[in-house]
Amino acid sequence: MKTKMFYAGVLAALFAVIVFISCSKSNSYKSGSNTPAAATVSIKNMAFSPGSLSVMAGSTVTWTNSDTTIHTVTADDGSFNSGNIAVGATYSRVFSTAGTFSYHCTLHP
């Protein structure tokens, strides 16, 4: 039972969605400026955290592999692919347009 719950949680996390939305003023902005903010996603316990986030166009998202094995960050539509991210390493991407970008780890489908 624990195994089924673990794998269900892993699958749900791997199919997490990051939502990127342009907005006039939100937490996506650096305080007091119109400069896009940086956002971070942690990879730990075979899951992406947070599972979704909102940032404005032009923001940089950095994934940090805090797990005990390598992972990838690969767009479902093939528009980006981190390659293998070693334990303790990071991958960053600047999203120049607003939209919804679904991604997964190709090593742990």
Side-chain angles (χ1 to χ4, degrees):
M1 184 67 167
K2 283 185 179 181
T3 302
K4 285 183 182 181
M5 289 176 50
F6 172 78
Y7 285 114
V10 168
L11 287 174
L14 292 177
F15 292 106
V17 177
I18 293 183
V19 178
F20 298 90
I21 302 171
S22 290
C23 52
S24 61
K25 194 144 187 143
S26 72
N27 291 334
S28 297
Y29 289 88
K30 290 183 182 175
S31 178
S33 77
N34 289 331
T35 305
T40 59
V41 177
S42 176
I43 308 168
K44 190 171 184 177
N45 297 322
M46 302 293 255
F48 296 105
S49 179
S52 67
L53 57 94
S54 297
V55 296
M56 65 180 283
S59 293
T60 300
V61 178
T62 300
W63 288 263
T64 302
N65 185 355
S66 301
D67 214 338
T68 58
T69 188
I70 59 174
H71 291 285
T72 71
V73 175
T74 306
D76 290 354
D77 67 3
S79 61
F80 60 90
N81 184 349
S82 65
N84 290 342
I85 305 172
V87 174
T90 62
Y91 167 71
S92 295
R93 176 169 170 76
V94 176
F95 289 86
S96 58
T97 60
T100 299
F101 304 89
S102 299
Y103 65 93
H104 61 279
C105 175
T106 59
L107 303 174
H108 306 103

